[in-house]
Amino acid sequence: MDSGTLNSASAYEKMRLIRRLEEITLELSSEGVIAGSIHPCLGQEAIPVGAVAGLEPQDRVIATYRGHGWALASGTSPLDLLAEIAQKSGGINGGRAGSPLLSNPKVGFLAENSIVGAGVPISSGVALAAVSQGSNRVVIVSIGDGAMNQGSTTEGMVFAAAKNLPVIFIVENNGWAEMTATSAMNRVSDFTQRAAALGIESHTIDGQDPFAVEAAVLNAAGKCRAGEGPIFLECKTARLKGHYNRDIEHYRPKEDQAAASERDPLELLKNKSASEPGVDFSEIDERVEKLLKEVTEAVRAMPVPDESTVLEHLYGESPTPDLTSSAVSVQEMKYQKAVNLALRTELENRPELLVYGEDVGIAGGIFGVTRGLQKEFGASRVFDTPISESAIIGSAIGASMEGMRPVVEIMWADFVFVAFDQIINQASNVRYINESRLSAPLTIRMQQGVTPGSCAQHSQSIEALLAHIPGIKVGLVSNPQDAYDMTRAAIADPDPTVLIEYRSLYQESGSVETGGQGQLARGARFHREGGDVAILTWGAMLGEALKAADQLKDEGIRASVLDLRWLRPLDTESIVKAVQMASGRTVIAHEAFKTGGFGAEVVATLLEEKSGVTESSVVRLGAPDVRMPSAPNLQDSLIPKAADIYEAATRLL
């Protein structure tokens, strides 16, 4: 973090560097050297320069997508930054991020974020890690005024306030939310009113004065380090150019453009400091110009990224199986208890592990899965959160980026959609964008599926949606043994993992082997082996598949039953083995809707692998395409049963 006390010369030089680099990016974009959108911070340079000057070297910054200035102020070299914006091989992210998703963890600049407001929950997680680690670290997250209307922003602020986290929220209010006037969408003139309503200390700052910003951040950081965070700072600023590089500003009144020009922070600083001895603005301009001319020439000559590397850095190396676990023991226990035991074991062995979510702490979870953990490990490691799914998952991403191992619970899988962005656009990208210099090893637990009386908002099976996304791993737990093994494997994994449980199975008992060597977050499991027909399934449908296999066995028909367990990564080898053993005769059964269900992906995989499957040798079973009713008898008519699997298998034979 490139911090330090400002003076007129240093403030002007940093701001001038940002200004000229932004102007050069627009020029290179017009020439076609840079592809895609660019969101310049022209007119807002004083905010990152002043803010970073008020931080200490160990602090962190997360920026809005208008964040080139934040990257420079944090200490990123102009060459590395411009090369990344130009999608060149020498960029800080190797051309994987481009302009709107920059990050440079080496200097404490954790990310820009091109999803409006999404960085706020993540910043709360970075701050949570700082508290857990006792690092005396503060995190700044900058957003635009438009982000104040995003639910994720409010959720992140509520989460930070509930936990007194050392976060400084900075709103760069330039009067425009993209192409809409801020005043047209807000009944308050100052966003400090909103933050204050959440119980957060709030201040309005002149965002065109780097010294005012520096003083405000110094004061806020001091309070955050004393446990009095978070703090909210609204920096009133001006946007000198359009929202993005091709914005002709046809919507913007000329009077507004003229007023913004009169508030140019560089000109204001020059006028204010004109009489100061020893400050030669012309000399600074020349020095900056010379530097950026060399940088621009180097970027123009720089090669594009090597296409052979495009698939690299999606996942980390699989962990070495734990050989130091306690002695192996076998005991009968419920599925629910097996998850609890796995969490307890990991909490004992990993001081960096946090377990949290709605009602997870004091109550022990709505289904009792985390019962007793807070009492044993304390409220700093097992705790309750606001009902804020975006904040829960986003904070886990931020904390995991800082070395923690969070396990967070989303009470019902149906509820994760309000936080889908944090999985799909955030967690999945961390390792890839940063070429493995940064990762997000978090575990997201949720439960899904139909139970008597559940409604259409409490019964969906969403594994296909999640398994579609590269960069995360997805597992489905079908029995008590896997409840133990897969929970521990997910926690040990170096990447974001979604673990789907089933409330219909929580009270089922089975023999569970504990201790011994840990498993990896991958691999299907055979529960039966036979050469007449293959039954491929996962999750709660495993029980029905086993019943069908037993019924087939009574009639002399030998069926393989393969529980896929992990849909990403998919164990293609075991799937092909099961199908070839059965000469291609295959039944795929799942609880999710048939259309777009993961069964279709399995069929496609089998066809591509030349496994012997044909159009007439495979049957897919799933729920019909209808919303799930609450009446138990109606539900029962929709979900495949053992009899359906049996009938499909015998039809194939």
Side-chain angles (χ1 to χ4, degrees), residues 453-651:
S454 60
C455 70
Q457 295 174 337
H458 290 71
S459 59
Q460 296 174 99
S461 296
I462 65 169
E463 65 268 18
L465 297 171
L466 290 161
H468 179 67
I469 305 302
I472 63 173
K473 296 180 180 177
V474 181
L476 296 99
V477 182
S478 64
N479 58 80
Q481 182 66 63
D482 279 348
Y484 176 82
D485 289 334
M486 294 175 69
T487 300
R488 296 197 64 190
I491 293 169
D493 199 80
D495 293 299
T497 302
V498 178
L499 209 55
I500 298 175
E501 302 162 2
Y502 289 83
R503 65 189 176 281
S504 61
L505 303 179
Y506 276 145
Q507 299 305 314
E508 286 200 2
S509 294
S511 179
V512 177
E513 181 181 291
T514 63
Q517 181 173 308
Q519 292 190 10
L520 300 179
R522 63 178 184 230
R525 176 175 290 167
F526 279 95
H527 287 263
R528 301 280 193 278
E529 289 197 31
D532 293 324
V533 66
I535 302 173
L536 311 181
T537 190
W538 52 89
M541 193 57 61
L542 175 65
E544 298 299 320
L546 292 173
K547 290 177 187 176
D550 289 342
Q551 187 176 355
L552 291 166
K553 183 180 178 181
D554 291 342
E555 298 184 13
I557 300 171
R558 298 165 303 139
S560 289
V561 177
L562 182 66
D563 179 2
L564 302 194
R565 302 201 311 154
W566 296 96
L567 302 190
R568 186 177 281 277
L570 187 62
D571 186 355
T572 302
E573 183 179 344
S574 292
I575 294 172
V576 170
K577 176 184 174 182
V579 171
Q580 289 183 338
M581 193 187 311
S583 301
R585 293 181 293 270
T586 305
V587 178
I588 301 169
H590 54 68
E591 186 174 309
F593 306 125
K594 184 177 178 181
T595 300
F598 198 79
E601 179 64 27
V602 175
V603 174
T605 299
L606 288 170
L607 291 171
E608 291 170 352
E609 294 292 327
K610 306 294 191 296
S611 63
V613 158
T614 65
E615 182 180 347
S616 60
S617 71
V618 63
V619 176
R620 276 190 301 144
L621 299 176
D625 297 334
V626 65
R627 304 309 300 169
M628 189 57 59
S630 181
N633 67 308
L634 295 179
Q635 292 176 345
D636 200 52
S637 70
L638 297 177
I639 303 302
K641 298 291 188 296
D644 301 303
I645 299 172
Y646 167 83
E647 189 276 333
T650 54
R651 180 158 30 102

Side-chain angles (χ1 to χ4, degrees), residues 177-347:
E178 299 188 0
M179 299 181 186
T180 301
T182 303
S183 58
M185 294 294 146
N186 299 280
R187 298 182 68 175
V188 297
S189 58
D190 296 310
F191 289 117
T192 51
Q193 297 175 60
R194 290 201 196 171
L198 299 177
I200 298 173
E201 181 181 331
S202 308
H203 303 277
T204 301
I205 312 298
D206 179 3
Q208 306 308 82
D209 182 350
F211 305 107
V213 176
E214 179 188 26
V217 169
L218 274 169
N219 179 62
K223 290 185 176 181
C224 284
R225 294 187 216 283
E228 300 172 20
I231 306 292
F232 181 94
L233 303 177
E234 181 178 10
C235 295
K236 302 283 190 174
T237 185
R239 197 179 80 190
L240 296 183
K241 294 289 186 181
H243 167 59
Y244 72 113
N245 48 327
R246 291 177 176 81
D247 181 4
I248 61 174
E249 298 190 275
H250 59 285
Y251 53 87
R252 190 176 183 184
K254 288 183 170 53
E255 301 78 28
D256 185 81
Q257 291 175 315
S261 296
E262 291 175 2
R263 298 181 62 208
D264 184 329
L266 276 77
E267 295 303 317
L268 292 173
L269 180 58
K270 286 170 69 174
N271 293 336
K272 181 179 179 181
S273 309
S275 60
E276 281 189 30
V279 181
D280 187 341
F281 294 110
S282 296
E283 192 275 332
I284 293 173
D285 288 347
E286 291 176 7
R287 186 163 62 246
V288 168
E289 202 66 30
K290 181 177 183 294
L291 170 65
L292 290 183
K293 181 180 179 182
E294 295 171 355
V295 165
T296 304
E297 290 174 354
V299 169
R300 286 181 183 277
M302 192 177 290
V304 296
D306 182 353
E307 293 175 13
S308 69
T309 67
V310 71
L311 298 180
E312 296 176 0
H313 302 292
L314 187 60
Y315 296 103
E317 293 291 327
S318 296
T320 302
D322 182 9
L323 302 177
T324 62
S325 297
S326 58
V328 174
S329 65
V330 179
Q331 53 186 305
E332 192 80 5
M333 69 177 70
K334 293 180 178 178
Y335 178 120
Q336 167 198 57
K337 176 67 174 176
V339 178
N340 183 283
L341 179 60
L343 293 172
R344 175 175 280 105
T345 302
E346 294 297 325
L347 282 162

Side-chain angles (χ1 to χ4, degrees), residues 77-107:
S77 81
L79 176 61
D80 292 348
L81 178 60
L82 187 59
E84 184 59 37
I85 295 170
Q87 298 108 4
K88 294 297 184 75
S89 60
I92 48 178
N93 306 108
R96 291 166 179 251
S99 172
L101 198 53
L102 293 162
S103 63
N104 189 3
K106 183 173 66 175
V107 298

